[in-house]
Each structure stands twice: as structure tokens, then as C-alpha cells.
Amino acid sequence: MASPDKQMLSEQVYTRLRDAIMRGDHAPGAPLRPQDLAREHDVSLAVVREALVRVVGDGLADRLPNRGFAVPAFSDRRWQEITEARRTIEPLVLRLSVERGDLDWEGRVRAAHHRLSRTPPFDDGEGEHLSGEWSEAHRVFHRTLLDGCGNPVLLETFDRLWTASELARRWAARRSPGRDHLAEHRLLEETALARDADAAAEALTRHLTLTAAALTEKPGAEAVPVSPPPP
């Protein structure tokens, strides 16, 4: 069993490494060498490896056979596969949420959207990097939209897919700066609270499709609207 000190160090290194990958300090496809990280954080290799295993579990790094660890590459098909999974599952969960959500759910959706719309997406001085505050407000809004479904198993599935797609979402934001996230999120709120399950599911499918499309375009290009697949 790991000592409390080792567990604390591993937690600290994990948090710093996770934040560094999210900020873009490690480029897509860049190696994450345990020896270098151990020197950088002044800890043992065992502590670094434990932290790296957790980052891999979050979907923020790959463990490559005989090659160590690396940040996922843009060309990695996983992002399209994760989006396919989310486009299949989340619109269905949103339909259930629209059908089952009560007045308390409506109030929480309004509050979550208000917080998201009032939170600056980028930190002062951080330039192209999404702020942690906005990213959390974004997660809470999307989860609140779905939690009216009342099914904890479906919500756990959402949580896993969200974590796995967080890095891709941040990359997509840098590659499509002209995208109107405010309008997309406002449409999600309006259609859900209007109890229009078809329109809400279509809006969510389009929202997810645009994020995936941003990762396949040249950096700086505007995201091209992609029609959602037929139901």
C-alpha cells in the first residue's frame, strides 16, 4: 500500500500534468517521458508513473507499447469515435430529460446556462486557452440538461465520455475561434425548456458534430456547418 506522502505527491503531479496538457503545454502527439517529468517535478519515477496512469485513464494521454506515454495526436480516430458515441447516446438522454424533467430541473438548467453565458471562455493573459472556470461551467450546463432523465447509469456514461473528450474540445476551440458557442448553448436551453424533444436532440447533435468537424479542418479555418444525421 502506498504511503500517504507518496499518494499526496502522486496527486500533485497528476493535477499539474493534467492541467499542463489541458493548457496545451504538451503538443498533440508529444511524448510524456517519465524521466523528464520526474526531474521537472522533483519526484521519483514511481510517483510519475502512477500519475501518468491516471492521466491515461482520463483519456488525456496514451500508453504506447514499447514507447512509453504520449499526448493523443490530432489524427487519432478516437475523437471521432467518442463523438459518434456521444451523438448516439446524449440526444437520447436529452429526450428523456425533456420528457421527465420537473420544475426544479428547469430552474437548474436556467441557472447553469446563465452561469455559462456570463463566464468568459478565456483567461486574461492566457490567450487561446479556455479557462478552467468556463470549462467547468460548460460541463455543468451539459450535465444539467441531461440529469432530468433520472437515470444514474446514463449520467455515469455521460461523465466518462465527457472526460475522454475534454482535451479534444479544448483543441477544437482553438481551431475554430469564429464559432458562436453562445448561440448554440442558448438554442439548447430554449429547446429543452420549451419541451421540444425533437428540436433539442437535433440542436445537441449539431453542437457535437461541429466540435468533431473542427478537429478535421485546417487550424484557423471556420467550422463548416454539418447537418446532423437523420434520426
Side-chain angles (χ1 to χ4, degrees), residues 159-231:
D159 290 338
R160 288 195 298 273
L161 290 172
W162 185 273
T163 299
S165 63
E166 178 65 14
L167 184 58
R169 182 165 38 255
R170 295 193 181 202
W171 285 343
R174 297 200 295 270
R175 292 165 65 88
S176 54
R179 186 174 168 192
D180 193 348
H181 290 277
L182 284 174
E184 291 178 40
H185 291 129
R186 184 168 59 250
L187 180 62
L188 284 168
E189 181 209 24
E190 291 173 350
T191 53
L193 295 185
R195 303 290 177 157
D196 189 336
D198 289 340
E202 181 177 340
L204 181 55
T205 299
R206 180 180 177 81
H207 184 65
L208 296 172
T209 297
L210 288 173
T211 297
L215 290 170
T216 63
E217 294 166 359
K218 294 179 180 179
E222 285 192 22
V224 177
V226 178
S227 299

Side-chain angles (χ1 to χ4, degrees), residues 6-117:
K6 182 183 176 185
Q7 288 179 333
M8 182 178 67
L9 283 173
S10 178
E11 181 69 28
Q12 290 173 350
V13 174
Y14 160 73
T15 300
R16 292 171 189 163
L17 182 56
R18 188 180 191 277
D19 291 347
I21 292 172
M22 288 293 191
R23 287 194 306 269
D25 294 351
H26 300 279
L32 297 168
R33 298 185 177 89
Q35 294 88 346
D36 294 343
L37 293 171
R39 284 194 296 270
E40 177 183 342
H41 297 284
D42 194 23
V43 296
S44 69
L45 279 174
V47 168
V48 167
R49 289 186 182 280
E50 188 174 312
L52 281 167
V53 168
R54 291 185 62 187
V55 174
V56 170
D58 287 342
L60 301 179
D62 289 331
R63 190 167 193 168
L64 308 175
N66 302 317
R67 293 170 54 197
F69 300 88
V71 178
F74 270 125
S75 59
D76 195 333
R77 184 170 171 77
R78 98 173 57 190
W79 306 129
Q80 302 305 319
E81 292 171 343
I82 290 171
T83 301
E84 181 179 52
R86 293 187 66 195
R87 280 192 307 217
T88 301
I89 295 169
E90 291 181 32
L92 295 176
V93 180
L94 182 55
R95 286 179 178 275
L96 292 176
S97 202
V98 168
E99 293 168 4
R100 299 173 179 176
D102 56 15
L103 289 177
D104 179 63
W105 169 75
E106 289 187 4
R108 287 185 286 112
V109 169
R110 289 189 187 281
H113 180 259
H114 179 79
R115 178 187 172 196
L116 177 61
S117 65

